[in-house]
Amino acid sequence: VHSYTKYNNWDNVQSWINSVSSSNSDLISKQVIGNTYEGRPMTVLKLGKKYSFTKPAIFMDCGIHAREWISPAFCQWFVKEALSTYGSDSQMTSLLNQMDVFVLPVFNIDGYDYTHKRSRMWRKTRSRTSGSNCIGADPNRNFNAGWCTTGASSNPCSDTFCGYRPESEIEVKNVADFIRRNKSVLKAYLTIHSYSQLLLFPYSYTFQLAADHSELLKVAEGASAALRSLYGTRYTSGPGATTIYPAAGGSDDWAYDLGVKYSYTFELRDTGRYGFLLPESQIKPTCEETMLAVKYIAAYVQKNL
Ligand code: 0X9
Ligand code: ZN
Ligand code: ZN
């Protein structure tokens, strides 16, 4: 059974996707953007008041990496909060009136399912190719942004295997196609990972600063301050290459180079005590504080449309 304060397995997330979208049809709709390698449907939830015209939008994904369980928990929390605070929270109401928010609750569904059923620390997709017995590629090394040039491995057995070519992973191709199709309306790209308490922005494939570096940094620092205001959780913000490590093929760099200016990677709690095994008791506080950061970014984007 589904719970916002538990780490739901894929079957429970899937039934939640169906029930949440059918019971709030005035504010939410769903769209399958393709299937995973193992054939599971990838569903994007579109949140926002419905109008006859096209609205500017934000795209957010969770669960690129299978073992980062707090990430899908946050996407589910975000959907719940959006639906339950629309009409009472003035910022959420204004956001969903003016913009749409596309949420992909679990990007790497096959990997996520595998961490529940077989191996808790799995990171990659579950694709197979002739030529190696090793399974999967790192979806966050498989985007076409300086692909496989730094911080990625060409060894199929590595946890950071970049894949056989950019977008070789069907999950990456499905998301990239969706973002390309909606490029003209997308104003922000948010991708949720764990752990380390960082708010990262481009670039990670190069040490060069992004053209919008100072604005991206200013917004990240505002978002981190908003997050910290709730429980004192400290985040560090900066470009990926210098703040975490250089690593090419990431979704944030790819979205940014496509033209989605406000492109951010969140690394949620904690800083290593529990790491990927963050206790369920921390789901609620982590999600509540992260809401403040996401809403800060959304408000900034909305103000600067
Ligand atoms: O290495 C990653 O993909 C991310 N860290 S994680 O521990 N969740 O695996 C950081 C991604 C930063 N952005 C890029 N490298 N493009
Ligand atoms: Zn990750
Ligand atoms: Zn709340």
Side-chain angles (χ1 to χ4, degrees), residues 137-172:
D138 184 341
N140 216 30
R141 299 292 181 277
N142 192 238
F143 281 82
N144 197 5
W147 181 74
C148 221
T149 51
T150 182
S153 175
S154 53
N155 174 358
C157 300
S158 164
D159 242 0
T160 54
F161 176 47
C162 58
Y164 291 95
R165 58 183 185 279
E167 300 181 16
S168 59
E169 302 315 287
I170 186 65
E171 298 83 0
V172 170

PDB file of all heavy atoms in Angstrom, residues 137-172:
ATOM      1  N   ALA A 137      23.651   0.862 -17.939  1.00  0.00           N
ATOM      2  CA  ALA A 137      24.506   2.035 -18.091  1.00  0.00           C
ATOM      3  C   ALA A 137      24.018   3.073 -17.089  1.00  0.00           C
ATOM      4  O   ALA A 137      22.882   3.012 -16.611  1.00  0.00           O
ATOM      5  CB  ALA A 137      24.419   2.583 -19.510  1.00  0.00           C
ATOM      6  N   ASP A 138      24.898   4.030 -16.793  1.00  0.00           N
ATOM      7  CA  ASP A 138      24.507   5.118 -15.891  1.00  0.00           C
ATOM      8  C   ASP A 138      23.696   6.130 -16.704  1.00  0.00           C
ATOM      9  O   ASP A 138      24.229   6.786 -17.593  1.00  0.00           O
ATOM     10  CB  ASP A 138      25.766   5.775 -15.313  1.00  0.00           C
ATOM     11  CG  ASP A 138      25.435   6.864 -14.296  1.00  0.00           C
ATOM     12  OD1 ASP A 138      24.286   7.359 -14.299  1.00  0.00           O
ATOM     13  OD2 ASP A 138      26.338   7.214 -13.518  1.00  0.00           O
ATOM     14  N   PRO A 139      22.401   6.267 -16.400  1.00  0.00           N
ATOM     15  CA  PRO A 139      21.590   7.210 -17.188  1.00  0.00           C
ATOM     16  C   PRO A 139      22.117   8.638 -17.095  1.00  0.00           C
ATOM     17  O   PRO A 139      21.953   9.419 -18.037  1.00  0.00           O
ATOM     18  CB  PRO A 139      20.190   7.110 -16.570  1.00  0.00           C
ATOM     19  CG  PRO A 139      20.242   6.104 -15.495  1.00  0.00           C
ATOM     20  CD  PRO A 139      21.642   5.611 -15.324  1.00  0.00           C
ATOM     21  N   ASN A 140      22.783   8.978 -16.012  1.00  0.00           N
ATOM     22  CA  ASN A 140      23.308  10.338 -15.877  1.00  0.00           C
ATOM     23  C   ASN A 140      24.714  10.490 -16.456  1.00  0.00           C
ATOM     24  O   ASN A 140      25.418  11.461 -16.166  1.00  0.00           O
ATOM     25  CB  ASN A 140      23.279  10.793 -14.418  1.00  0.00           C
ATOM     26  CG  ASN A 140      22.959  12.282 -14.302  1.00  0.00           C
ATOM     27  OD1 ASN A 140      22.245  12.827 -15.147  1.00  0.00           O
ATOM     28  ND2 ASN A 140      23.498  12.934 -13.277  1.00  0.00           N
ATOM     29  N   ARG A 141      25.111   9.520 -17.274  1.00  0.00           N
ATOM     30  CA  ARG A 141      26.322   9.625 -18.094  1.00  0.00           C
ATOM     31  C   ARG A 141      25.962   9.387 -19.560  1.00  0.00           C
ATOM     32  O   ARG A 141      26.827   9.355 -20.422  1.00  0.00           O
ATOM     33  CB  ARG A 141      27.371   8.578 -17.680  1.00  0.00           C
ATOM     34  CG  ARG A 141      27.852   8.697 -16.242  1.00  0.00           C
ATOM     35  CD  ARG A 141      28.664   9.945 -15.994  1.00  0.00           C
ATOM     36  NE  ARG A 141      29.125  10.006 -14.592  1.00  0.00           N
ATOM     37  CZ  ARG A 141      28.381  10.460 -13.589  1.00  0.00           C
ATOM     38  NH1 ARG A 141      27.157  10.912 -13.803  1.00  0.00           N
ATOM     39  NH2 ARG A 141      28.872  10.493 -12.360  1.00  0.00           N
ATOM     40  N   ASN A 142      24.681   9.194 -19.843  1.00  0.00           N
ATOM     41  CA  ASN A 142      24.240   8.742 -21.164  1.00  0.00           C
ATOM     42  C   ASN A 142      23.602   9.857 -22.006  1.00  0.00           C
ATOM     43  O   ASN A 142      23.184   9.637 -23.136  1.00  0.00           O
ATOM     44  CB  ASN A 142      23.278   7.550 -20.977  1.00  0.00           C
ATOM     45  CG  ASN A 142      22.973   6.791 -22.248  1.00  0.00           C
ATOM     46  OD1 ASN A 142      21.810   6.673 -22.644  1.00  0.00           O
ATOM     47  ND2 ASN A 142      24.004   6.305 -22.912  1.00  0.00           N
ATOM     48  N   PHE A 143      23.504  11.070 -21.442  1.00  0.00           N
ATOM     49  CA  PHE A 143      22.973  12.194 -22.217  1.00  0.00           C
ATOM     50  C   PHE A 143      24.071  12.751 -23.125  1.00  0.00           C
ATOM     51  O   PHE A 143      25.272  12.578 -22.865  1.00  0.00           O
ATOM     52  CB  PHE A 143      22.433  13.284 -21.275  1.00  0.00           C
ATOM     53  CG  PHE A 143      21.068  12.972 -20.704  1.00  0.00           C
ATOM     54  CD1 PHE A 143      20.943  12.132 -19.598  1.00  0.00           C
ATOM     55  CD2 PHE A 143      19.918  13.500 -21.272  1.00  0.00           C
ATOM     56  CE1 PHE A 143      19.684  11.831 -19.060  1.00  0.00           C
ATOM     57  CE2 PHE A 143      18.661  13.212 -20.751  1.00  0.00           C
ATOM     58  CZ  PHE A 143      18.540  12.373 -19.645  1.00  0.00           C
ATOM     59  N   ASN A 144      23.630  13.433 -24.160  1.00  0.00           N
ATOM     60  CA  ASN A 144      24.577  13.917 -25.172  1.00  0.00           C
ATOM     61  C   ASN A 144      25.143  15.292 -24.792  1.00  0.00           C
ATOM     62  O   ASN A 144      24.859  16.292 -25.438  1.00  0.00           O
ATOM     63  CB  ASN A 144      23.850  13.975 -26.530  1.00  0.00           C
ATOM     64  CG  ASN A 144      24.830  14.058 -27.672  1.00  0.00           C
ATOM     65  OD1 ASN A 144      26.051  13.989 -27.480  1.00  0.00           O
ATOM     66  ND2 ASN A 144      24.306  14.223 -28.869  1.00  0.00           N
ATOM     67  N   ALA A 145      25.951  15.299 -23.754  1.00  0.00           N
ATOM     68  CA  ALA A 145      26.589  16.536 -23.290  1.00  0.00           C
ATOM     69  C   ALA A 145      28.035  16.188 -22.926  1.00  0.00           C
ATOM     70  O   ALA A 145      28.289  15.658 -21.852  1.00  0.00           O
ATOM     71  CB  ALA A 145      25.852  17.102 -22.081  1.00  0.00           C
ATOM     72  N   GLY A 146      28.948  16.430 -23.862  1.00  0.00           N
ATOM     73  CA  GLY A 146      30.352  16.056 -23.655  1.00  0.00           C
ATOM     74  C   GLY A 146      30.488  14.568 -23.396  1.00  0.00           C
ATOM     75  O   GLY A 146      31.394  14.122 -22.684  1.00  0.00           O
ATOM     76  N   TRP A 147      29.597  13.807 -24.000  1.00  0.00           N
ATOM     77  CA  TRP A 147      29.413  12.385 -23.687  1.00  0.00           C
ATOM     78  C   TRP A 147      30.710  11.585 -23.539  1.00  0.00           C
ATOM     79  O   TRP A 147      31.542  11.560 -24.433  1.00  0.00           O
ATOM     80  CB  TRP A 147      28.521  11.734 -24.764  1.00  0.00           C
ATOM     81  CG  TRP A 147      28.263  10.297 -24.504  1.00  0.00           C
ATOM     82  CD1 TRP A 147      27.443   9.770 -23.563  1.00  0.00           C
ATOM     83  CD2 TRP A 147      28.852   9.189 -25.191  1.00  0.00           C
ATOM     84  NE1 TRP A 147      27.471   8.397 -23.610  1.00  0.00           N
ATOM     85  CE2 TRP A 147      28.329   8.012 -24.604  1.00  0.00           C
ATOM     86  CE3 TRP A 147      29.778   9.080 -26.240  1.00  0.00           C
ATOM     87  CZ2 TRP A 147      28.697   6.736 -25.039  1.00  0.00           C
ATOM     88  CZ3 TRP A 147      30.140   7.817 -26.673  1.00  0.00           C
ATOM     89  CH2 TRP A 147      29.593   6.656 -26.065  1.00  0.00           C
ATOM     90  N   CYS A 148      30.849  10.997 -22.382  1.00  0.00           N
ATOM     91  CA  CYS A 148      31.941  10.065 -22.045  1.00  0.00           C
ATOM     92  C   CYS A 148      33.344  10.661 -22.115  1.00  0.00           C
ATOM     93  O   CYS A 148      34.318   9.943 -22.270  1.00  0.00           O
ATOM     94  CB  CYS A 148      31.854   8.786 -22.880  1.00  0.00           C
ATOM     95  SG  CYS A 148      32.226   7.305 -21.872  1.00  0.00           S
ATOM     96  N   THR A 149      33.444  11.983 -21.974  1.00  0.00           N
ATOM     97  CA  THR A 149      34.766  12.607 -22.036  1.00  0.00           C
ATOM     98  C   THR A 149      35.444  12.713 -20.682  1.00  0.00           C
ATOM     99  O   THR A 149      36.675  12.757 -20.607  1.00  0.00           O
ATOM    100  CB  THR A 149      34.666  14.034 -22.632  1.00  0.00           C
ATOM    101  OG1 THR A 149      33.652  14.758 -21.918  1.00  0.00           O
ATOM    102  CG2 THR A 149      34.318  13.976 -24.114  1.00  0.00           C
ATOM    103  N   THR A 150      34.666  12.793 -19.612  1.00  0.00           N
ATOM    104  CA  THR A 150      35.271  12.922 -18.276  1.00  0.00           C
ATOM    105  C   THR A 150      34.325  12.373 -17.211  1.00  0.00           C
ATOM    106  O   THR A 150      33.093  12.439 -17.379  1.00  0.00           O
ATOM    107  CB  THR A 150      35.618  14.414 -17.962  1.00  0.00           C
ATOM    108  OG1 THR A 150      36.247  14.491 -16.678  1.00  0.00           O
ATOM    109  CG2 THR A 150      34.383  15.294 -17.957  1.00  0.00           C
ATOM    110  N   GLY A 151      34.865  11.776 -16.175  1.00  0.00           N
ATOM    111  CA  GLY A 151      34.055  11.303 -15.056  1.00  0.00           C
ATOM    112  C   GLY A 151      33.039  10.253 -15.423  1.00  0.00           C
ATOM    113  O   GLY A 151      32.010  10.123 -14.754  1.00  0.00           O
ATOM    114  N   ALA A 152      33.321   9.525 -16.478  1.00  0.00           N
ATOM    115  CA  ALA A 152      32.433   8.458 -16.939  1.00  0.00           C
ATOM    116  C   ALA A 152      33.316   7.338 -17.438  1.00  0.00           C
ATOM    117  O   ALA A 152      34.475   7.559 -17.775  1.00  0.00           O
ATOM    118  CB  ALA A 152      31.528   8.957 -18.062  1.00  0.00           C
ATOM    119  N   SER A 153      32.775   6.133 -17.498  1.00  0.00           N
ATOM    120  CA  SER A 153      33.583   4.993 -17.910  1.00  0.00           C
ATOM    121  C   SER A 153      33.029   4.362 -19.183  1.00  0.00           C
ATOM    122  O   SER A 153      31.813   4.307 -19.377  1.00  0.00           O
ATOM    123  CB  SER A 153      33.592   3.952 -16.787  1.00  0.00           C
ATOM    124  OG  SER A 153      34.269   2.788 -17.229  1.00  0.00           O
ATOM    125  N   SER A 154      33.954   3.876 -20.014  1.00  0.00           N
ATOM    126  CA  SER A 154      33.511   3.148 -21.206  1.00  0.00           C
ATOM    127  C   SER A 154      33.489   1.643 -20.937  1.00  0.00           C
ATOM    128  O   SER A 154      33.234   0.853 -21.844  1.00  0.00           O
ATOM    129  CB  SER A 154      34.418   3.471 -22.390  1.00  0.00           C
ATOM    130  OG  SER A 154      35.761   3.250 -22.009  1.00  0.00           O
ATOM    131  N   ASN A 155      33.716   1.266 -19.690  1.00  0.00           N
ATOM    132  CA  ASN A 155      33.670  -0.142 -19.296  1.00  0.00           C
ATOM    133  C   ASN A 155      32.235  -0.497 -18.857  1.00  0.00           C
ATOM    134  O   ASN A 155      31.748   0.039 -17.863  1.00  0.00           O
ATOM    135  CB  ASN A 155      34.660  -0.360 -18.151  1.00  0.00           C
ATOM    136  CG  ASN A 155      34.590  -1.765 -17.577  1.00  0.00           C
ATOM    137  OD1 ASN A 155      33.774  -2.598 -17.996  1.00  0.00           O
ATOM    138  ND2 ASN A 155      35.442  -2.035 -16.600  1.00  0.00           N
ATOM    139  N   PRO A 156      31.584  -1.399 -19.589  1.00  0.00           N
ATOM    140  CA  PRO A 156      30.188  -1.746 -19.279  1.00  0.00           C
ATOM    141  C   PRO A 156      29.994  -2.273 -17.860  1.00  0.00           C
ATOM    142  O   PRO A 156      28.866  -2.284 -17.364  1.00  0.00           O
ATOM    143  CB  PRO A 156      29.847  -2.836 -20.296  1.00  0.00           C
ATOM    144  CG  PRO A 156      30.855  -2.705 -21.382  1.00  0.00           C
ATOM    145  CD  PRO A 156      32.103  -2.136 -20.759  1.00  0.00           C
ATOM    146  N   CYS A 157      31.075  -2.683 -17.215  1.00  0.00           N
ATOM    147  CA  CYS A 157      30.937  -3.206 -15.853  1.00  0.00           C
ATOM    148  C   CYS A 157      31.028  -2.114 -14.792  1.00  0.00           C
ATOM    149  O   CYS A 157      30.778  -2.367 -13.620  1.00  0.00           O
ATOM    150  CB  CYS A 157      31.997  -4.273 -15.601  1.00  0.00           C
ATOM    151  SG  CYS A 157      31.842  -5.668 -16.759  1.00  0.00           S
ATOM    152  N   SER A 158      31.383  -0.894 -15.218  1.00  0.00           N
ATOM    153  CA  SER A 158      31.498   0.201 -14.253  1.00  0.00           C
ATOM    154  C   SER A 158      30.129   0.769 -13.885  1.00  0.00           C
ATOM    155  O   SER A 158      29.196   0.767 -14.690  1.00  0.00           O
ATOM    156  CB  SER A 158      32.376   1.310 -14.856  1.00  0.00           C
ATOM    157  OG  SER A 158      32.198   2.510 -14.131  1.00  0.00           O
ATOM    158  N   ASP A 159      30.041   1.287 -12.673  1.00  0.00           N
ATOM    159  CA  ASP A 159      28.817   1.927 -12.202  1.00  0.00           C
ATOM    160  C   ASP A 159      28.563   3.265 -12.905  1.00  0.00           C
ATOM    161  O   ASP A 159      27.466   3.803 -12.817  1.00  0.00           O
ATOM    162  CB  ASP A 159      28.923   2.174 -10.691  1.00  0.00           C
ATOM    163  CG  ASP A 159      27.853   1.427  -9.916  1.00  0.00           C
ATOM    164  OD1 ASP A 159      27.023   0.723 -10.538  1.00  0.00           O
ATOM    165  OD2 ASP A 159      27.841   1.559  -8.678  1.00  0.00           O
ATOM    166  N   THR A 160      29.603   3.813 -13.554  1.00  0.00           N
ATOM    167  CA  THR A 160      29.414   5.062 -14.293  1.00  0.00           C
ATOM    168  C   THR A 160      29.597   4.834 -15.797  1.00  0.00           C
ATOM    169  O   THR A 160      29.997   5.742 -16.535  1.00  0.00           O
ATOM    170  CB  THR A 160      30.371   6.176 -13.815  1.00  0.00           C
ATOM    171  OG1 THR A 160      31.718   5.682 -13.888  1.00  0.00           O
ATOM    172  CG2 THR A 160      30.064   6.596 -12.380  1.00  0.00           C
ATOM    173  N   PHE A 161      29.262   3.628 -16.263  1.00  0.00           N
ATOM    174  CA  PHE A 161      29.328   3.315 -17.701  1.00  0.00           C
ATOM    175  C   PHE A 161      28.435   4.305 -18.467  1.00  0.00           C
ATOM    176  O   PHE A 161      27.257   4.468 -18.155  1.00  0.00           O
ATOM    177  CB  PHE A 161      28.872   1.882 -17.929  1.00  0.00           C
ATOM    178  CG  PHE A 161      28.797   1.473 -19.376  1.00  0.00           C
ATOM    179  CD1 PHE A 161      29.837   1.759 -20.260  1.00  0.00           C
ATOM    180  CD2 PHE A 161      27.684   0.776 -19.851  1.00  0.00           C
ATOM    181  CE1 PHE A 161      29.772   1.367 -21.597  1.00  0.00           C
ATOM    182  CE2 PHE A 161      27.612   0.375 -21.181  1.00  0.00           C
ATOM    183  CZ  PHE A 161      28.652   0.673 -22.058  1.00  0.00           C
ATOM    184  N   CYS A 162      29.044   4.925 -19.501  1.00  0.00           N
ATOM    185  CA  CYS A 162      28.324   5.969 -20.256  1.00  0.00           C
ATOM    186  C   CYS A 162      27.383   5.399 -21.314  1.00  0.00           C
ATOM    187  O   CYS A 162      26.665   6.164 -21.966  1.00  0.00           O
ATOM    188  CB  CYS A 162      29.340   6.914 -20.906  1.00  0.00           C
ATOM    189  SG  CYS A 162      30.483   6.082 -22.016  1.00  0.00           S
ATOM    190  N   GLY A 163      27.408   4.091 -21.518  1.00  0.00           N
ATOM    191  CA  GLY A 163      26.569   3.487 -22.552  1.00  0.00           C
ATOM    192  C   GLY A 163      27.334   3.368 -23.859  1.00  0.00           C
ATOM    193  O   GLY A 163      28.446   3.873 -23.987  1.00  0.00           O
ATOM    194  N   TYR A 164      26.726   2.697 -24.840  1.00  0.00           N
ATOM    195  CA  TYR A 164      27.432   2.454 -26.103  1.00  0.00           C
ATOM    196  C   TYR A 164      27.407   3.673 -27.012  1.00  0.00           C
ATOM    197  O   TYR A 164      28.208   3.802 -27.927  1.00  0.00           O
ATOM    198  CB  TYR A 164      26.869   1.214 -26.795  1.00  0.00           C
ATOM    199  CG  TYR A 164      27.240  -0.040 -26.010  1.00  0.00           C
ATOM    200  CD1 TYR A 164      26.371  -0.585 -25.073  1.00  0.00           C
ATOM    201  CD2 TYR A 164      28.499  -0.622 -26.176  1.00  0.00           C
ATOM    202  CE1 TYR A 164      26.733  -1.704 -24.333  1.00  0.00           C
ATOM    203  CE2 TYR A 164      28.870  -1.734 -25.439  1.00  0.00           C
ATOM    204  CZ  TYR A 164      27.982  -2.270 -24.517  1.00  0.00           C
ATOM    205  OH  TYR A 164      28.361  -3.358 -23.776  1.00  0.00           O
ATOM    206  N   ARG A 165      26.481   4.571 -26.786  1.00  0.00           N
ATOM    207  CA  ARG A 165      26.399   5.833 -27.531  1.00  0.00           C
ATOM    208  C   ARG A 165      25.472   6.746 -26.731  1.00  0.00           C
ATOM    209  O   ARG A 165      24.719   6.247 -25.888  1.00  0.00           O
ATOM    210  CB  ARG A 165      25.851   5.612 -28.947  1.00  0.00           C
ATOM    211  CG  ARG A 165      24.488   4.964 -28.941  1.00  0.00           C
ATOM    212  CD  ARG A 165      23.904   4.655 -30.309  1.00  0.00           C
ATOM    213  NE  ARG A 165      22.543   4.150 -30.122  1.00  0.00           N
ATOM    214  CZ  ARG A 165      22.252   2.902 -29.789  1.00  0.00           C
ATOM    215  NH1 ARG A 165      23.221   2.003 -29.631  1.00  0.00           N
ATOM    216  NH2 ARG A 165      20.999   2.540 -29.595  1.00  0.00           N
ATOM    217  N   PRO A 166      25.462   8.054 -26.993  1.00  0.00           N
ATOM    218  CA  PRO A 166      24.524   8.933 -26.285  1.00  0.00           C
ATOM    219  C   PRO A 166      23.083   8.471 -26.519  1.00  0.00           C
ATOM    220  O   PRO A 166      22.731   8.084 -27.647  1.00  0.00           O
ATOM    221  CB  PRO A 166      24.757  10.317 -26.925  1.00  0.00           C
ATOM    222  CG  PRO A 166      26.109  10.235 -27.533  1.00  0.00           C
ATOM    223  CD  PRO A 166      26.330   8.806 -27.930  1.00  0.00           C
ATOM    224  N   GLU A 167      22.286   8.461 -25.463  1.00  0.00           N
ATOM    225  CA  GLU A 167      20.878   8.038 -25.529  1.00  0.00           C
ATOM    226  C   GLU A 167      20.710   6.578 -25.925  1.00  0.00           C
ATOM    227  O   GLU A 167      19.676   6.187 -26.460  1.00  0.00           O
ATOM    228  CB  GLU A 167      20.047   8.956 -26.446  1.00  0.00           C
ATOM    229  CG  GLU A 167      20.045  10.410 -25.986  1.00  0.00           C
ATOM    230  CD  GLU A 167      19.209  11.338 -26.878  1.00  0.00           C
ATOM    231  OE1 GLU A 167      18.394  10.857 -27.677  1.00  0.00           O
ATOM    232  OE2 GLU A 167      19.385  12.566 -26.751  1.00  0.00           O
ATOM    233  N   SER A 168      21.733   5.761 -25.671  1.00  0.00           N
ATOM    234  CA  SER A 168      21.583   4.324 -25.922  1.00  0.00           C
ATOM    235  C   SER A 168      20.558   3.728 -24.969  1.00  0.00           C
ATOM    236  O   SER A 168      19.896   2.735 -25.300  1.00  0.00           O
ATOM    237  CB  SER A 168      22.924   3.599 -25.737  1.00  0.00           C
ATOM    238  OG  SER A 168      23.406   3.790 -24.409  1.00  0.00           O
ATOM    239  N   GLU A 169      20.407   4.334 -23.802  1.00  0.00           N
ATOM    240  CA  GLU A 169      19.417   3.843 -22.838  1.00  0.00           C
ATOM    241  C   GLU A 169      18.046   4.386 -23.224  1.00  0.00           C
ATOM    242  O   GLU A 169      17.862   5.596 -23.368  1.00  0.00           O
ATOM    243  CB  GLU A 169      19.800   4.267 -21.414  1.00  0.00           C
ATOM    244  CG  GLU A 169      21.172   3.758 -20.999  1.00  0.00           C
ATOM    245  CD  GLU A 169      21.398   2.297 -21.371  1.00  0.00           C
ATOM    246  OE1 GLU A 169      20.811   1.424 -20.732  1.00  0.00           O
ATOM    247  OE2 GLU A 169      22.167   2.036 -22.330  1.00  0.00           O
ATOM    248  N   ILE A 170      17.086   3.496 -23.376  1.00  0.00           N
ATOM    249  CA  ILE A 170      15.759   3.884 -23.857  1.00  0.00           C
ATOM    250  C   ILE A 170      15.090   4.887 -22.909  1.00  0.00           C
ATOM    251  O   ILE A 170      14.368   5.794 -23.351  1.00  0.00           O
ATOM    252  CB  ILE A 170      14.882   2.629 -24.116  1.00  0.00           C
ATOM    253  CG1 ILE A 170      13.549   3.020 -24.770  1.00  0.00           C
ATOM    254  CG2 ILE A 170      14.637   1.825 -22.846  1.00  0.00           C
ATOM    255  CD1 ILE A 170      13.668   3.605 -26.150  1.00  0.00           C
ATOM    256  N   GLU A 171      15.386   4.772 -21.616  1.00  0.00           N
ATOM    257  CA  GLU A 171      14.804   5.711 -20.647  1.00  0.00           C
ATOM    258  C   GLU A 171      15.325   7.129 -20.912  1.00  0.00           C
ATOM    259  O   GLU A 171      14.577   8.110 -20.805  1.00  0.00           O
ATOM    260  CB  GLU A 171      15.144   5.282 -19.215  1.00  0.00           C
ATOM    261  CG  GLU A 171      14.585   3.910 -18.800  1.00  0.00           C
ATOM    262  CD  GLU A 171      15.450   2.730 -19.237  1.00  0.00           C
ATOM    263  OE1 GLU A 171      16.510   2.956 -19.885  1.00  0.00           O
ATOM    264  OE2 GLU A 171      15.070   1.579 -18.950  1.00  0.00           O
ATOM    265  N   VAL A 172      16.618   7.227 -21.231  1.00  0.00           N
ATOM    266  CA  VAL A 172      17.237   8.521 -21.525  1.00  0.00           C
ATOM    267  C   VAL A 172      16.662   9.081 -22.826  1.00  0.00           C
ATOM    268  O   VAL A 172      16.295  10.263 -22.914  1.00  0.00           O
ATOM    269  CB  VAL A 172      18.777   8.373 -21.606  1.00  0.00           C
ATOM    270  CG1 VAL A 172      19.430   9.640 -22.145  1.00  0.00           C
ATOM    271  CG2 VAL A 172      19.341   8.014 -20.220  1.00  0.00           C
TER     272      VAL A 172
END
